Amino acid sequence: MQIYMDGEFVPKEEAKISVFDHGLLYGDGVFEGIRCYAGKVFRLTEHLDRLYESAKTIMLQISLSHQEMQKAVLNTLRANKLKDAYIRLVITRGEGDLGLDPGKCKKSRVIIIADKIALYPRELYERGLEIITVPTRSIPAESLNPQVKSLNYLSNILAKIEAINEGAAEALMLNTEGYATECSGDNIFIFKRGRLLTPPTYLGALEGITRNIIMDLAKELGLEVGEGIFTRHELYNAEECFLTGTAAEIIPVVKADKRIIGSGKPGEVTRKLREAFTKLTAREGTPITS
Ligand code: PXG
């Protein structure tokens, strides 16, 4: 495996960074997760836009232009001879010293990893997933805006630990008022009486690229879809529920806090949306060869 590190390809075993990198010392940096399907990178521009927006907010200067970054992503896929892959871009603040001041870090680092990812076992896509709500709440937007995909994922990791400790595969986080926000690495949707809902991002959720695609696909399928605030009660009494994310894609949820959702089997709307999403990923994308 060849890792892209600041313009060079380095074998995985040699891809190392300084212990003084603020990405390691403070989680100071940003990242993106992108998928490549059959030689075409899905929604590359949207992912790169989000990466540069995250960097701008935390005042991190990325050494590559948007176009250079796009080339670097495609080159990384080529260097690893991957056609179906998960691409992880990591931008760290770079090497500094002990102490928070990012001004001490002279140059940010660009790391691109292209690999495979399986967030959940295959059979869960057929059977459906069990989720639980966890004690760890989403970070309020006024503390750290959820649109910043920062290297600091500790609250999401705590949420994941809490779910796994209870035997559930995924954690649903609530905001401090008790409204559903998102899962540890995916957005959530519920469906009831012809309406598809996902929490508004201002409650404390990432504006997922898959989330937005699903909203568009739902409209194309003639469904009523929108952002909406909901509590655990609406989740328990939904007809269908599913999660979305680049890594997770679309995965049905059949149980939440031990309450069976709908029929207890993945629903028809979820199935249709998964199908439409798969077709879209086969149709669209930036070719590796471009
Ligand atoms: N919420 C959070 C907190 C995320 O991190 C999503 C939702 C889904 O967004 P997209 O744009 O992918 O539809 C994410 C996505 C990883 C990894 O290890 C990355 C994410 C989730 C899980 C794992 O690269 N990010």
Side-chain angles (χ1 to χ4, degrees):
M1 185 191 289
Q2 296 290 316
I3 313 288
Y4 176 98
M5 290 186 86
D6 297 311
E8 279 171 43
F9 285 103
V10 188
K12 181 183 170 184
E13 297 70 29
E14 291 164 30
K16 293 179 180 152
I17 64 160
S18 163
V19 292
F20 287 97
D21 194 302
H22 279 210
L24 174 70
L25 289 177
Y26 302 111
D28 185 0
V30 292
F31 80 101
E32 261 306 318
I34 313 174
R35 260 189 200 268
C36 180
Y37 294 96
K40 284 185 288 177
V41 185
F42 191 60
R43 299 286 163 118
L44 180 55
T45 306
E46 278 163 79
H47 281 283
L48 293 186
D49 284 346
R50 189 167 68 182
L51 180 76
Y52 280 80
E53 286 180 9
S54 290
K56 182 172 184 177
T57 295
I58 70 161
M59 297 186 84
L60 188 159
Q61 191 70 39
I62 301 179
S63 55
L64 301 183
S65 70
H66 203 291
Q67 216 171 2
E68 288 167 336
M69 188 67 83
Q70 174 152 341
K71 271 199 190 136
V73 167
L74 300 176
N75 283 340
T76 308
L77 287 162
R78 272 187 230 128
N80 287 282
K81 297 189 172 54
L82 284 166
K83 288 201 164 15
D84 289 278
Y86 185 74
I87 305 133
R88 167 63 86 79
L89 279 90
V90 183
I91 319 292
T92 75
R93 184 78 68 181
E95 194 175 333
D97 61 14
L98 300 178
L100 290 171
D101 183 5
K104 299 277 172 62
C105 307
K106 291 297 166 233
K107 194 169 183 290
S108 64
R109 276 192 155 266
V110 179
I111 299 163
I112 309 175
I113 307 166
D115 200 0
K116 303 268 173 191
I117 194 171
L119 216 56
Y120 305 108
R122 259 293 123 199
E123 70 262 20
L124 286 183
Y125 286 80
E126 304 308 322
R127 268 197 290 124
L129 192 73
E130 178 173 353
I131 63 172
I132 62 162
T133 51
V134 293
T136 294
R137 300 293 172 112
S138 287
I139 296 174
E142 58 270 33
S143 299
L144 175 61
N145 194 294
Q147 305 325 318
V148 177
K149 251 176 105 64
S150 86
L151 294 184
N152 200 320
Y153 255 47
L154 265 186
S155 61
N156 305 56
I157 289 169
L158 272 177
K160 189 81 172 179
I161 290 171
E162 288 158 357
I164 291 167
N165 281 349
E166 296 300 321
E170 187 51 285
L172 173 63
M173 287 184 284
L174 309 173
N175 72 353
T176 51
E177 290 178 290
Y179 296 114
T181 57
E182 63 180 342
C183 291
S184 72
D186 341 274
N187 292 109
I188 186 165
F189 282 83
I190 58 170
F191 177 78
K192 189 167 185 173
R193 293 196 193 101
R195 282 194 77 205
L196 191 62
L197 280 185
T198 190
T201 54
Y202 63 77
L203 287 188
L206 177 73
E207 191 179 339
I209 289 167
T210 322
R211 168 192 187 269
N212 290 355
I213 293 170
I214 287 299
M215 289 172 91
D216 290 343
L217 290 175
K219 276 181 214 144
E220 282 171 28
L221 289 173
L223 297 168
E224 195 186 320
V225 55
E227 291 187 330
I229 291 178
F230 61 88
T231 68
R232 287 179 295 166
H233 176 76
E234 285 78 38
L235 167 65
Y236 301 155
N237 292 289
E239 291 163 24
E240 293 186 33
C241 174
F242 60 85
L243 311 182
T244 67
T246 301
E249 300 174 304
I250 291 105
I251 184 156
V253 173
V254 292
K255 226 184 232 184
D257 296 336
K258 306 287 176 197
R259 277 77 160 181
I260 291 169
I261 296 177
S263 66
K265 293 203 169 68
E268 212 29 41
V269 171
T270 310
R271 194 189 58 74
K272 278 192 188 146
L273 286 166
R274 271 190 69 197
E275 209 177 278
F277 181 77
T278 306
K279 279 191 187 149
L280 187 68
T281 59
R283 203 166 60 231
E284 273 191 8
T286 310
I288 298 176
T289 48
S290 72

